[in-house]
Amino acid sequence: MSIERIDKLLALSGFGSRKDVRKLLHTGTVTVDGAVVTAADFHVNTEKSQVIVDGEELAFQKHVYLMMNKPAGVVSSTKDGVHKTVFDLLETEFAHRTLGGDLHLIGRLDIDTEGLLLLTTDGNLTHRLTSPKHNIAKTYFVRLRDSLSDEEKAEYTEKFKNSLEVPREHNEEAFTAKSAELVWQSSPNECLLTIYEGKYHQVKRMFKVLGNEVVYLKRVKEGTIELDPNLQPGEARELTPAEKAALNIQ
Ligand code: URA
């Protein structure tokens, strides 16, 4: 990972597309170990060399950590013959291979589910957030087909708290859901559900057990990371230093 082209490094460091970066190089403001570099294919040792752009030293980031506000109608996979994928939505700056490896998804959302999707090149973080052993909390905003009375809400809350049995669906095994928390919202058919695992169609299947149906689903939180309300559907941004610190990433 230590030898990279200067145009790739600058693009990954936020200086725009490869074309923007070539223009930047032609201005003569980029130096590597004190010498001006104008060639886009100049190779840099990212572990040893000092790259300065317009007087400021670049700190190379090994891994990329992104949050996306996934819109409905887009699939959480790298390729799909029919639908757009979340990778099609990413700006090229994020989309190509980064220094630390391939950019991949931390978990998935169904095609019709919206909201928080994390992407990274850091396989260790992916393991920490997706391993069932770690019980990472995921919170979803849920709108149900049928409105509920206060009594019914209490019944749902109790059932979700106490290991709900979810039957087999298609080829997916039946499972006993870990204790989950429901917080009812002001509308009689809206709630926040927090679960601690990520089985196939889990939220939809849990409500189906109680004879209801999820008509809108949006993930709003995963572990310590909350969906940024300023992120429009389809937009992605890097995690902030505070968000990374909360995930124990240096
Ligand atoms: N549960 C679901 O049913 N769908 C999702 O996309 C996420 C959780």
Side-chain angles (χ1 to χ4, degrees), residues 108-113 140 195 199-205 217 219:
R108 286 157 188 264
L109 292 174
D110 298 338
I111 185 163
D112 54 348
T113 303
Y140 294 85
I195 57 174
K199 300 272 199 284
Y200 175 77
H201 286 179
Q202 174 150 353
V203 175
K204 294 172 188 162
R205 285 164 77 191
L217 188 58
R219 182 152 68 200

Side-chain angles (χ1 to χ4, degrees), residues 126-144:
T126 308
H127 177 72
R128 270 202 280 137
L129 292 185
T130 56
S131 161
K133 273 190 279 176
H134 292 134
N135 293 325
I136 299 295
K138 291 181 263 290
T139 303
Y140 294 85
F141 172 83
V142 182
R143 188 171 301 128
L144 296 167

Side-chain angles (χ1 to χ4, degrees), residues 11-219:
L12 289 173
S13 305
F15 288 95
S17 65
R18 293 272 180 122
K19 198 170 153 201
D20 297 332
V21 161
R22 273 201 297 276
K23 276 195 207 148
L24 173 69
L25 286 163
H26 283 135
T27 63
T29 51
V30 179
T31 63
V32 178
D33 298 327
V36 171
V37 168
T38 54
D41 63 354
F42 185 88
H43 283 72
V44 178
N45 183 329
T46 58
E47 278 161 13
K48 295 194 181 134
S49 288
Q50 185 191 45
V51 179
I52 296 183
V53 181
D54 229 354
E56 284 206 25
E57 185 171 353
L58 288 195
F60 297 118
Q61 191 183 316
K62 184 171 176 208
H63 285 298
V64 171
Y65 302 92
L66 305 176
M67 74 157 77
M68 175 185 273
N69 183 359
K70 178 192 170 296
V74 168
V75 292
S76 303
S77 62
T78 15
K79 283 209 182 97
D80 187 282
V82 182
H83 302 99
K84 257 195 180 168
T85 76
V86 293
F87 290 93
D88 294 330
L89 301 179
L90 282 181
E91 291 173 34
T92 44
E93 147 194 17
F94 297 138
H96 44 72
R97 285 171 69 91
T98 54
L99 297 183
D102 282 320
L103 191 61
H104 59 268
L105 296 167
I106 304 182
R108 286 157 188 264
L109 292 174
D110 298 338
I111 185 163
D112 54 348
T113 303
E114 300 180 7
L116 179 64
L117 199 52
L118 296 171
L119 299 102
T120 187
T121 53
D122 181 352
N124 285 332
L125 178 69
T126 308
H127 177 72
R128 270 202 280 137
L129 292 185
T130 56
S131 161
K133 273 190 279 176
H134 292 134
N135 293 325
I136 299 295
K138 291 181 263 290
T139 303
Y140 294 85
F141 172 83
V142 182
R143 188 171 301 128
L144 296 167
R145 181 194 59 206
D146 302 333
S147 295
L148 303 177
S149 65
D150 287 347
E151 259 178 23
E152 288 168 321
K153 286 181 186 174
E155 185 198 333
Y156 277 47
T157 305
E158 196 56 24
K159 291 230 162 100
F160 279 20
K161 201 167 134 197
N162 295 310
S163 321
L164 190 76
E165 295 295 335
V166 180
R168 185 186 174 89
E169 185 168 301
H170 309 302
N171 290 329
E172 302 294 326
E173 294 285 301
F175 66 97
T176 307
K178 289 180 184 163
S179 182
E181 292 130 31
L182 269 177
V183 176
W184 292 96
Q185 305 294 286
S186 48
S187 297
N189 63 338
E190 291 179 353
C191 59
L192 290 172
L193 172 65
T194 300
I195 57 174
Y196 295 87
E197 59 211 320
K199 300 272 199 284
Y200 175 77
H201 286 179
Q202 174 150 353
V203 175
K204 294 172 188 162
R205 285 164 77 191
M206 287 175 76
F207 283 99
K208 198 171 165 189
V209 173
L210 302 186
N212 212 326
E213 190 191 328
V214 173
V215 292
Y216 175 78
L217 188 58
K218 179 176 184 175
R219 182 152 68 200

